[in-house]
Amino acid sequence: MVQWIERIPTGSIIIVTGQIKKPDRPVTGTTKHDVEISIRELHVAVPFTVYEDEVSRQKELDDDDDAAGTGSHITDRARLTHRILDLRTSTSKAIFRINAGGFIEIHTPKLQGGATESGSSVFQLDDYFGRPALVAQSPQLAKQMCIAADYEKVYEIGPVFRAKNSNTPRHLTEYTGLDLEMAIEKHYHEALEVIDGVLKHIFKGINERFRDELGAAKRHFPHEDLVWLDKTPRIPFKEGVQMLIDSSWTDESGNPPSPLEDIHTRDEILPGELVNERYHTDYYILDNLTASARPFYTMPDPNDPKVTNTFDLFLRGQEILTSGQRIHDAQMLEEQMKAQGVDSSSMEDYMDGF
């Protein structure tokens, strides 16, 4: 076994089962010096390594100059089938990083094999070259695949399609979305702070640079200037629901809101007014959202599975963004998909990344 392990190429992705323990003396050959794994099982997880992919690409270039070349042993089909692995190569990373700094801009497919959000709000194509397909609801799954490929921070500004009734104050069948995904080190509030900072930077920039244009818009759409705080209020979802209950708010059937159910569109306006009265801001965050209305990839709160490590951002009582921590454990992800009736076989490329 040791002789076989010694010959596994650098850059291979492996699955190890063993016991984590403190070494008898510091480990010098790795970046972690104070911990080691006593291995019981080790499996090579993919059919080729990042190193092999790099060599294969170079061989393709060499063979272009040599008519007698035999070609690459890693086909484009194999690369695309294992796209997450291919994205880890220095060539792929260089292409993306040349176009970016910090967050890397990506452009994800708008025709997909499976739903990224609720299956009830997708546009379906019955025949996409002999196969069923869906118009993308969001770049969610592709963003997560980029994080699995070690890109750390990615974003996309692009079209989003939702098969929902557009005759409401908040739903559009097609709109342009700003999506980002990032690796977190310790807590999902790291993403919250980045997103919160970006939005307030946008608010400030619009107010400072486009006063004349805002004035022109006000003549046709009268409104007060947007008000926000340097420190955005972060209100736990249960506390937000309690604010509604304390105000004697009920739904159309006369029932008070529940901390275990999502706040409906009709009910979102009043919390905005209550928050404005209490905190004097049009912009706030609802944190620790209930699990009943979250997508399958949402990470539950480890201390209370009825709520999640997610948050919504609100502007004058309208939800403008939802985000949070994603499930990164393959077994947990598959269990959540089954619980919500999501067919994991339609997302094999996505699942392979975990």
Side-chain angles (χ1 to χ4, degrees):
M1 178 180 176
V2 172
Q3 290 178 341
W4 173 72
I5 290 175
E6 286 178 341
R7 289 171 172 77
I8 296 175
T10 301
S12 299
I13 293 180
I14 60 175
I15 298 174
V16 173
T17 303
Q19 182 180 8
I20 298 175
K21 64 179 184 179
K22 186 175 181 179
D24 297 331
R25 57 180 181 274
V27 178
T28 59
T30 65
T31 55
K32 300 293 183 183
H33 307 301
D34 56 352
V35 67
E36 65 181 5
I37 301 176
S38 179
I39 299 174
R40 291 198 298 271
E41 297 179 7
L42 188 148
H43 300 272
V44 176
V46 291
F48 61 89
T49 70
V50 172
Y51 174 75
E52 286 175 311
D53 198 352
E54 299 274 17
V55 172
S56 180
R57 287 179 183 274
Q58 185 58 51
K59 191 174 191 327
E60 288 175 356
L61 294 175
D62 294 343
D63 288 346
D64 285 343
D65 299 327
D66 180 6
T70 57
S72 167
H73 73 286
I74 300 178
T75 64
D76 285 340
R77 183 179 182 86
R79 286 196 181 106
L80 292 175
T81 301
H82 302 277
R83 180 60 169 153
I84 293 175
L85 184 61
D86 185 52
L87 284 171
R88 296 177 73 95
T89 63
S90 60
T91 303
S92 294
K93 286 186 176 181
I95 291 170
F96 282 90
R97 286 177 172 155
I98 286 171
N99 288 291
F103 276 82
I104 296 172
E105 184 176 15
I106 59 174
H107 301 280
T108 59
K110 299 307 170 208
L111 293 173
Q112 300 178 349
T116 54
E117 314 289 337
S118 166
S120 63
S121 62
V122 294
F123 291 107
Q124 298 190 24
L125 303 178
D126 294 331
D127 185 10
Y128 178 68
F129 299 103
R131 295 177 295 169
L134 306 173
V135 183
Q137 298 164 296
S138 79
Q140 181 57 50
L141 305 188
K143 291 188 303 175
Q144 287 182 253
M145 291 169 73
C146 287
I147 301 303
D150 201 26
Y151 276 61
E152 295 190 348
K153 297 178 180 180
V154 299
Y155 79 96
E156 178 175 25
I157 299 173
V160 177
F161 305 91
R162 298 287 172 92
K164 291 185 176 182
N165 183 2
S166 284
N167 190 26
T168 73
R170 58 179 284 182
H171 291 132
L172 292 172
T173 54
E174 179 181 351
Y175 62 92
T176 299
L178 166 59
D179 282 85
L180 67 86
E181 198 81 10
M182 58 183 281
I184 58 177
E185 298 295 331
K186 295 182 179 180
H187 199 279
Y188 73 96
H189 279 179
E190 294 166 27
L192 185 154
E193 289 163 2
V194 169
I195 294 168
D196 182 39
V198 167
L199 286 177
K200 286 190 287 192
H201 181 76
I202 292 172
F203 299 158
K204 182 180 178 182
I206 290 173
N207 273 275
E208 290 180 350
R209 296 172 55 196
F210 300 101
R211 293 306 305 175
D212 291 344
E213 288 81 357
L214 287 172
K218 279 185 179 182
R219 287 195 289 271
H220 290 277
F221 303 101
H223 63 274
E224 299 294 327
D225 284 346
L226 186 68
V227 177
W228 68 93
L229 303 176
D230 290 338
K231 186 175 182 180
T232 307
R234 300 179 185 178
I235 303 168
F237 180 78
K238 290 182 179 179
E239 184 180 321
V241 171
Q242 190 61 48
M243 291 171 66
L244 280 175
I245 294 173
D246 293 343
S247 70
S248 301
W249 179 261
T250 59
D251 63 19
E252 295 175 348
S253 301
N255 301 313
S258 168
L260 299 180
E261 296 180 8
D262 198 13
I263 297 176
H264 299 294
T265 303
R266 173 179 170 270
D267 304 333
E268 290 177 350
I269 302 298
L270 181 58
E273 296 173 357
L274 297 174
V275 169
N276 189 289
E277 291 175 7
R278 180 179 297 185
Y279 297 100
H280 308 291
T281 178
D282 295 323
Y283 167 67
Y284 65 97
I285 299 168
L286 274 187
D287 197 12
N288 276 134
L289 300 171
T290 181
S292 63
R294 297 296 98 188
F296 67 86
Y297 50 75
T298 303
M299 179 65 76
D301 186 315
N303 300 314
D304 183 358
K306 294 179 181 179
V307 298
T308 60
N309 288 354
T310 61
F311 53 90
D312 279 354
L313 278 64
F314 286 83
L315 204 62
R316 289 178 172 161
Q318 294 281 348
E319 175 201 319
I320 60 171
L321 181 144
T322 184
S323 188
Q325 184 180 0
R326 321 303 186 189
I327 293 174
H328 54 269
D329 177 81
Q331 183 176 345
M332 183 189 296
L333 188 64
E334 202 156 10
E335 290 171 355
Q336 287 290 96
M337 295 175 82
K338 288 180 180 177
Q340 296 194 25
V342 177
D343 181 11
S344 61
S345 66
S346 66
M347 304 183 189
E348 290 184 1
D349 290 346
Y350 168 73
M351 293 298 294
D352 283 348
F354 297 94

